[in-house]
Amino acid sequence: MRIDSLKLLALASSMALGLPLMAQQPATGAPAPKHQDTEVYEPVPPIVTPGATVGAPPSDAIVLFDGRNLDEWVSAQDHTPAKWIVADGILTVNKEKGVGNIETKRSFKDYQLHIEWRIPSNIEGSDQARGNSGVFLASTGPGDAGYELQVLDNYNNKTYVNGQAGSIYKQAIPLANPARKPGEWQSYDVVWTAPRFNSDGSLKTPAYVTVFFNGVVVQNHFQVQGQTLYIGKPFYKAYDKAPIKLQAHGDKSEPLSFRNIWVRDLTFDPSYTLK
Ligand code: MG
């Protein structure tokens, strides 16, 4: 009776601690495993010097806007030089008719992106017409919707929740609303894993996205359903690499501004997986 009680006690303790009831034993005759068996020394991760301050570009970043010029950007419509306004180290949407969206000259696959944006302090309007812009994580062509991470004033502005700041437009409600007041700078830090396609154009693996909004996770490895359409259901269309695009939405009040934009190439290196 006492032995049974002790056994029960051991079983209960083991379950409470989450311990396996029996340690895994090597097959009879096999050499005992060593800690070295699961330790690898190559490839050595490249040295990256982090930014001097939080949000500053690390040494391997491609700087897309550092306050000086739009050399890395073109018009999304016709790839002529981008005509947004650069002044005082800030990039501001140009609302002139015909200017429209801008996108990067370079194309990207998997990447880490940092971008800062500011809604003007005297913003007017409501719902989607209040500080609307967007970061298109892949701008796959002039006729495509692309993949939009929404930019909007949602400090005190109600709209459909899958269209507020931090949403993957009309697909993913942000996990929180950490929006700052209009007039204050805000940040997005994004990890984008591009979709992969088979040679016949069918989807092989979907896109995934993780987004920090002002340092708060708002998208956690969300499985993207396709392009972010205004009307209709999302669908995928094959592409390999694509520019990053910023949206000129055309609100009536003062336009938005951006600063400190950089990206790091994250194209997956399979040699990093354990053999
Ligand atoms: Mg938008």
Side-chain angles (χ1 to χ4, degrees):
M1 188 71 172
R2 169 149 176 78
I3 288 169
D4 285 351
S5 302
L6 285 171
K7 274 183 182 167
L8 276 173
L9 185 62
L11 177 63
S13 306
S14 159
M15 287 171 76
L17 291 168
L19 298 171
L21 292 177
M22 284 173 60
Q24 203 169 4
Q25 296 296 324
T28 311
K34 304 188 293 281
H35 66 88
Q36 291 93 336
D37 296 343
T38 48
E39 295 165 5
V40 296
Y41 289 86
E42 287 183 331
V44 177
I47 303 268
V48 174
T49 307
T53 54
V54 174
S59 58
D60 63 346
I62 297 165
V63 176
L64 297 174
F65 180 69
D66 66 359
R68 286 184 286 187
N69 58 56
L70 280 170
D71 288 358
E72 290 283 343
W73 299 83
V74 291
S75 157
Q77 282 89 329
D78 55 13
H79 289 190
T80 54
K83 293 191 188 73
W84 285 17
I85 299 146
V86 178
D88 302 325
I90 294 167
L91 170 61
T92 300
V93 178
N94 185 340
K95 290 168 60 177
E96 267 179 51
K97 209 172 175 190
V99 174
N101 304 332
I102 62 170
E103 67 183 23
T104 55
K105 283 181 184 170
R106 304 182 202 229
S107 289
F108 303 98
K109 198 160 188 168
D110 303 337
Y111 61 81
Q112 171 187 351
L113 171 71
H114 177 88
I115 185 165
E116 298 173 21
W117 50 275
R118 186 181 65 183
I119 307 277
S121 57
N122 58 351
I123 190 74
E124 294 171 4
S126 62
D127 200 338
Q128 291 286 306
R130 187 178 170 87
N132 197 328
S133 181
V135 181
F136 286 82
L137 303 169
S139 172
T140 53
D144 293 343
Y147 301 81
E148 183 181 10
L149 166 59
Q150 176 69 307
V151 171
L152 193 70
D153 173 31
N154 285 117
Y155 182 73
N156 186 15
N157 174 36
K158 199 166 182 182
T159 188
Y160 42 94
V161 291
N162 60 351
Q164 70 180 63
S167 68
I168 301 304
Y169 186 68
K170 291 216 170 160
Q171 285 188 35
I173 303 164
L175 301 171
N177 180 0
R180 297 189 202 279
K181 285 181 193 162
E184 295 183 10
W185 283 99
Q186 322 211 43
S187 64
Y188 280 153
D189 288 279
V190 181
V191 180
W192 173 254
T193 304
R196 265 57 170 177
F197 297 89
N198 298 305
S199 53
D200 65 358
S202 60
L203 183 68
K204 189 174 181 186
T205 54
Y208 292 92
V209 66
T210 294
V211 180
F212 292 80
F213 178 7
N214 294 331
V216 175
V217 176
V218 292
Q219 300 294 342
N220 183 7
H221 197 61
F222 172 69
Q223 182 177 317
V224 179
Q225 296 154 29
Q227 298 189 45
T228 51
L229 303 174
Y230 180 47
I231 300 169
K233 296 284 184 193
F235 63 89
Y236 276 105
K237 181 178 157 191
Y239 79 94
D240 184 35
K241 292 181 171 185
I244 296 166
K245 183 169 76 179
L246 302 180
Q247 185 181 39
H249 193 271
D251 290 358
K252 288 198 179 99
S253 52
E254 264 188 56
L256 277 86
S257 299
F258 295 86
R259 71 177 184 189
N260 190 20
I261 310 172
W262 52 264
V263 67
R264 294 182 61 244
D265 183 17
L266 289 184
T267 304
F268 180 60
D269 180 351
S271 62
Y272 274 91
T273 52
L274 281 173
K275 300 285 187 296

